[in-house]
Amino acid sequence: MDSLNTKKFYVTTPIYYVNARPHLGSLYSTLLADVAARYNRLHNKKVFFLTGTDEHGLKIAQAAAAVEKAPKEFVDSFIEPFKDTWKLYNIDYTRFIRTTDPDHVAAVQAWIMRLMQQGLIYKSHYAGFYCTPCETFVTEKDLADNNILNTVPLCPSCGRTTEYVSEESYFFKLSAYQDKLLQFYQENPDFITPRERMAEVVAFVTSGLKDLSISRTTITWGIPFPGDTHHVTYVWADALNNYITGVGYATPGQEKEFNFWWPADLQILGKDIVRFHAIYWPAFLMASNLALPKKLLVHGWIKVGEHKMSKSRGNTVAPLELAVTYGVDQIRYYLVRHLAITQDSPFSYDELEQRINADLAHDLGNLLNRMLTLAIKNNLADVAIPAQWSGASQALHEAEKNTITRFITEMEHGYMNRAYGIVWEYIHEVNKYFHVQQPWKVIKDDQEKFAEIISATCHALYGIAYLCWPLMPKKMEILLDQLGIKMASGSDIFALLLSTPWTKKFNLKNNETVLFKQIEQKKEITMTEEIKSVQKLSSVHQTIGIEDLTKIELRVGTIENVQIVEKSDKLYALKVNFGPFGIRQILSGVRKSFKPDELLNKQALFVCNLAPRMMMGMESQGMMLVAKEGSSLVLMSPATHVTNGTQLS
Ligand code: ME8
C-alpha cells in the first residue's frame, strides 16, 4: 500500500453489477478491502472505504426486462442482499455508493461537461462490435489478435458472442494519453500489484490506443448525457468515476473532503477488469488534472473446477450459507489467507475444513485454551510482569518484532495472503515455545518461572490478536477479552508493538468459549429455513407449491454449436447462447434422436440453475428440455423467435 507516511487511507472495491446476489467472488474483493482498511485503522490512520453497486447499462436493462421489471425496481431489489451480506461479514465500509445516487449522477455529468469544454470529448460515429456481458467495445486490436476479421467475433475477454453496433457516439480522446500512460507506468513500476499484470497493460497501450466511445444511443438506462438527450453515458465512464464522486468530486461544498481523500491509496479489483482500471481510468484522471491512484491490487479468480465462479455460469457459492455453516471469521480467514492474490484459486470445501481445523482450531485456538486452562487451574488469573525474561522468552519477543516488520512489508505491497503466512509462522513458534518450556511440569517446583512462561505466551497472543484483527475482528476481540485486554485506539498499534518492551499485565478469563471449534464431521451446507420449509411441505404432499416452481430457472437459448462427445454414444456438447446470461456448455443425451443440424441454430428451453455436473470429463451447465413420445424425443422450441435468455414464467 506504500502509504505508511500518510495519515489517511482511501480504499475502494469494484462496484458490483446488480443482476444477482453477491457471491464468493464479490465477497473476496470486498474482504481484501476490509482487511486493508482495518490494518490501516490499526496504524491510526483516518480511513475511507468505498464500495457499492454498478446499476446502469445494457446488461442490467436486459436482465431487468427478462424478469419484466423496470430497471430501477430491479436494481433496488438487490441492494439489501448486498448490504446484508457485507453486514454479516463485518465489512466496515464508509460509503455504499450506487451509480443511481443523485450526487453521483450530477458529478458524472459535471465531469463530462468539463472534459467537453477542454475539447477532450467530441461527437462522431461508432461502428464495431460490443460485448454486453462485459459492457465493452471490442477494439480492432482485439479482432486482429484473435484473427477474426471476417465473422462476428467472440469477446476477447469473456469469449461470448458480440453484437454489431453502429451509432452516433461521443468519444473521449484516449489516443492523446498513450505516451503519458506509458511514461507513467515506467515511472511507477509498483502501480499494479502483482507486477506481472503490468506487462499486459503496457503491451496493450504500446500497440496503440484509439479514442473511446463513451455514450450510447440505443439504450435509455444510463446517466443522461449532458446537453444531448439522445445519448446516455457509457456504463464504464459512469462506473469508474464512482471512485471520485464517492468522496465528493464535483459536488458543491465537498471540495475539502475530496481534496483530503483523493487520490485513492489502494484500489482492489479482479483481473477481468484490469484494462478499464489501468488504462481508461488513469487516462480519465489525467484528462481531469487529478492525481492517479497510488496502487491497483489486481487479484485472480476464485474458480470452481476449470471455470471462473460467476453469476452467468451459475456456479456461485453463496456467502450466507458458508457463514452459517462455518462461521464468518473462518471464511474471512480462508479466503484472504489461502487464496493467492497472484493466481486463480479453486474453491474447495475440503481445503476450507482442513484449514479451519489445522490453522484455526489447532494452531491458534488450542494454544489459547491450553494456556488459559493451565494458568487458571493453577490460580494464575492475574498475570504480572515478570522480574526477568528468560532467553527463550526474549527470543520469542524478538521473533514477534521480526514478524511484525515482515507482516507490514507484505501488507504495504498488498500481498495479504503472504502477510498472514508470516503470522502463522510465528504462531507455530509460539506453540513450539509453549511445548518446549513445559509449563505443566515447571509449575510443580518453580511458580515464578511458570508465571514468566504464561506471561510471555500472553504477550505473544496479544501481538497475534492485533496482527489478526484486520482478518478476524470478532474472534480477535474475544481473544483479547479472554486475556483481559480492551482494544487500544488512538495510536499506531504496530509502531507501539515494535517499540515497547513486554510490560503488559493480563487478567485471564475462565470463560468456556472455544475460539474455533474443530470440524469433526464433514459439514453439509446449512439449508436456509425457507428451503427447509419448502422441503417439508413437498414431502407431505405429492403436489408442489409455486415457490418450488419459481426455484427452477427456465430460459430460452439458441443452440449455436453441436459437438459429438467422443467418449459417449448418447451425448452432444451444445454451446447455447442465453443473451445477457452468456453462452453455456450444456451436455444432452439426445444423439439418437437428433442429427446435429436438426439442433443447430434452433431455439430451445433449458433449465439454467441446475448445479454444474461433470459428464465424460466435460462440465454441463444446465439441461435441455425435450418431450418424450414413445421412444422418440421432440425438441421444445418457442412457437416464434424470442430474445435469448428470456425466462419462462
Ligand atoms: O465488473 N473470483 O462488476 P462485477 C474473484 N461493475 N473475484 C471475482 C470473481 C471470482 N470468481 N467474480 C467476481 C463489474 N469477482 C463492474 C465493475 S468497477 C468501476 C465496475 C470480483 O459484478 C472481482 O473483483 O462483474 C471482479 O473484478 C468483480 O467482482 C467484478 O464484479
Side-chain angles (χ1 to χ4, degrees):
M1 291 156 216
D2 288 338
S3 53
L4 270 184
N5 299 325
T6 58
K7 282 277 160 238
K8 66 94 187 170
F9 181 74
Y10 174 29
V11 60
T12 68
T13 71
I15 47 171
Y16 304 104
Y17 286 128
V18 273
N19 51 355
R21 292 165 163 264
H23 60 79
L24 220 52
S26 14
L27 176 65
Y28 180 53
S29 310
T30 314
L31 268 182
L32 291 175
D34 190 56
V35 173
R38 287 174 183 273
Y39 160 81
N40 277 279
R41 285 193 193 110
L42 289 184
H43 272 302
N44 201 27
K45 290 187 188 176
K46 288 199 164 87
V47 169
F48 198 108
F49 170 5
L50 184 74
T51 189
T53 43
D54 189 356
E55 307 190 354
H56 292 124
L58 185 56
K59 174 184 174 125
I60 302 289
Q62 286 182 343
V67 292
E68 290 176 5
K69 282 196 179 173
K72 184 63 166 64
E73 187 196 352
F74 178 73
V75 294
D76 281 351
S77 70
F78 287 107
I79 301 308
E80 285 317 308
F82 268 91
K83 287 190 174 170
D84 288 349
T85 306
W86 299 162
K87 192 166 173 202
L88 175 70
Y89 276 89
N90 294 313
I91 305 291
D92 195 3
Y93 57 78
T94 316
R95 175 170 178 186
F96 186 101
I97 189 168
R98 301 180 56 180
T99 51
T100 48
D101 284 344
D103 65 335
H104 171 79
V105 171
V108 168
Q109 290 175 327
W111 175 79
I112 293 172
M113 297 290 281
R114 286 180 194 181
L115 265 59
M116 279 181 101
Q117 277 154 17
Q118 289 171 253
L120 294 169
I121 291 177
Y122 63 92
K123 198 170 174 177
S124 183
H125 191 270
Y126 177 83
F129 293 93
Y130 192 77
C131 173
T132 305
C134 296
E135 295 282 15
T136 190
F137 295 96
V138 180
T139 65
E140 282 166 23
K141 175 181 181 315
D142 292 326
L143 299 182
D145 283 357
N146 291 288
N147 230 351
I148 37 180
L149 289 165
N150 297 322
T151 53
V152 173
L154 300 182
C155 169
S157 167
C158 72
R160 289 175 261 219
T161 336
T162 54
E163 265 176 274
Y164 187 72
V165 180
S166 171
E167 57 188 328
E168 183 184 83
S169 181
Y170 284 90
F171 283 82
F172 166 71
K173 277 196 181 165
L174 183 64
S175 58
Y177 294 92
Q178 177 166 347
D179 293 342
K180 290 186 192 125
L181 283 168
L182 288 172
Q183 189 185 345
F184 173 78
Y185 303 140
Q186 203 177 18
E187 287 167 4
N188 297 277
D190 286 326
F191 176 55
I192 304 177
T193 290
R195 270 189 175 205
E196 306 86 76
R197 297 247 173 259
M198 183 73 110
E200 308 160 22
V201 170
V202 171
F204 189 88
V205 177
T206 308
S207 73
L209 291 181
K210 287 258 179 310
D211 290 349
L212 179 70
S213 167
I214 57 153
S215 75
R216 306 287 321 264
T217 52
T218 45
I219 60 166
T220 50
W221 180 236
I223 297 183
F225 209 80
D228 195 338
T229 48
H230 298 305
H231 292 250
V232 297
T233 311
Y234 169 48
V235 64
W236 279 97
D238 160 358
L240 286 165
N241 278 308
N242 95 87
Y243 301 132
I244 49 176
T245 63
V247 285
Y249 174 77
T251 305
Q254 300 271 299
E255 296 77 11
K256 215 168 144 199
E257 162 112 357
F258 176 69
N259 290 334
F260 179 77
W261 291 114
W262 192 256
D265 296 273
L266 183 67
Q267 302 212 257
I268 292 172
L269 52 132
K271 66 178 189 181
D272 45 333
I273 51 178
V274 72
R275 187 186 293 183
F276 301 99
H277 284 78
I279 302 172
Y280 303 164
W281 179 226
F284 288 173
L285 290 168
M286 285 174 175
S288 321
N289 287 321
L290 291 173
L292 268 48
K294 296 202 184 129
K295 186 180 273 308
L296 304 182
L297 176 58
V298 183
H299 61 74
W301 287 334
I302 303 179
K303 290 192 149 186
V304 178
E306 285 303 298
H307 296 292
K308 178 189 175 205
M309 183 183 290
S310 71
K311 293 163 271 196
S312 53
R313 279 195 182 275
N315 61 355
T316 55
V317 173
L320 179 65
E321 271 116 29
L322 276 184
V324 173
T325 312
Y326 294 103
V328 164
D329 279 354
Q330 285 86 333
I331 300 299
R332 287 178 62 114
Y333 171 79
Y334 172 72
L335 292 179
V336 175
R337 157 93 158 93
H338 285 288
L339 307 187
I341 299 275
T342 46
Q343 64 202 45
D344 296 342
S345 311
F347 173 76
S348 139
Y349 285 101
D350 284 345
E351 207 206 345
L352 167 68
E353 295 190 359
Q354 275 168 24
R355 293 333 322 167
I356 292 176
N357 280 348
D359 305 356
L360 298 179
H362 181 267
D363 295 349
L364 182 53
N366 262 359
L367 174 67
L368 174 73
N369 278 338
R370 277 159 68 209
M371 186 279 291
L372 279 179
T373 314
L374 191 66
I376 286 167
K377 198 173 90 188
N378 290 289
N379 302 317
L380 189 70
D382 287 319
V383 185
I385 308 159
Q388 213 184 336
W389 291 110
S390 70
S393 301
Q394 282 173 26
L396 196 65
H397 188 192
E398 282 312 305
E400 180 191 75
K401 290 197 244 178
N402 186 268
T403 301
I404 296 171
T405 309
R406 290 170 60 213
F407 171 82
I408 290 175
T409 305
E410 295 294 358
M411 290 298 280
E412 292 299 316
H413 285 101
Y415 291 114
M416 299 181 215
N417 56 322
R418 289 192 203 157
Y420 281 101
I422 292 166
V423 174
W424 248 259
E425 282 172 26
Y426 181 58
I427 293 175
H428 291 153
E429 274 190 63
V430 185
N431 269 298
K432 195 165 144 208
Y433 166 89
F434 199 73
H435 181 73
V436 169
Q437 295 300 309
Q438 299 188 314
W440 54 93
K441 283 193 183 158
V442 171
I443 182 68
K444 291 181 188 143
D445 41 35
D446 191 344
Q447 292 244 354
E448 218 173 292
K449 171 86 183 134
F450 175 75
E452 193 259 348
I453 300 169
I454 296 296
S455 175
T457 312
C458 287
H459 274 97
L461 282 164
Y462 171 78
I464 290 166
Y466 279 113
L467 288 164
C468 290
W469 181 79
L471 184 57
M472 298 183 283
K474 288 286 168 249
K475 291 291 183 189
M476 292 308 108
E477 282 157 23
I478 295 173
L479 198 165
L480 284 173
D481 187 56
Q482 292 189 324
L483 297 177
I485 298 279
K486 285 222 169 343
M487 274 283 297
S489 61
S491 47
D492 180 336
I493 256 305
F494 297 118
L496 272 184
L497 283 170
L498 282 172
S499 62
T500 45
W502 275 0
T503 51
K504 281 252 164 268
K505 290 181 190 156
F506 299 93
N507 176 239
L508 305 184
K509 291 209 178 131
N510 187 12
N511 68 17
E512 300 295 304
T513 325
V514 175
L515 203 56
F516 299 105
K517 290 204 184 88
Q518 280 277 346
I519 301 169
E520 307 289 353
Q521 250 190 343
K522 213 175 151 34
K523 293 242 187 196
E524 278 183 27
I525 278 285
T526 315
M527 287 187 293
T528 58
E529 286 309 311
E530 196 188 358
I531 301 175
K532 277 189 203 155
S533 64
V534 169
Q535 285 203 337
K536 242 188 250 156
L537 259 179
S538 55
S539 62
V540 177
H541 305 290
Q542 287 300 306
T543 52
I544 61 161
I546 189 78
E547 61 281 22
D548 293 273
L549 190 63
T550 52
K551 287 208 163 63
I552 306 174
E553 192 184 320
L554 295 169
R555 292 191 187 277
V556 178
T558 300
I559 303 167
E560 292 192 336
N561 189 297
V562 183
Q563 189 196 332
I564 289 171
V565 177
E566 296 295 350
K567 288 186 211 153
S568 151
D569 58 355
K570 291 196 197 119
L571 286 177
Y572 280 132
L574 311 175
K575 287 268 185 308
V576 185
N577 187 343
F578 291 101
F581 304 94
I583 294 189
R584 293 203 191 175
Q585 170 169 282
I586 294 182
L587 300 192
S588 183
V590 297
R591 210 151 98 200
K592 296 209 167 112
S593 304
F594 303 100
K595 296 200 183 78
D597 58 3
E598 289 173 320
L599 296 174
L600 199 61
N601 298 324
K602 294 266 163 46
Q603 285 202 310
L605 309 184
F606 296 87
V607 180
C608 283
N609 59 343
L610 200 62
R613 287 179 304 160
M614 295 302 287
M615 293 152 90
M616 298 292 165
M618 295 174 84
E619 190 182 89
S620 181
Q621 299 152 350
M623 191 175 100
M624 181 167 75
L625 297 182
V626 286
K628 199 163 181 199
E629 205 171 39
S631 60
S632 58
L633 302 177
V634 181
L635 196 66
M636 293 287 95
S637 292
T640 51
H641 184 90
V642 293
T643 310
N644 283 333
T646 301
Q647 188 163 14
L648 270 68
S649 56

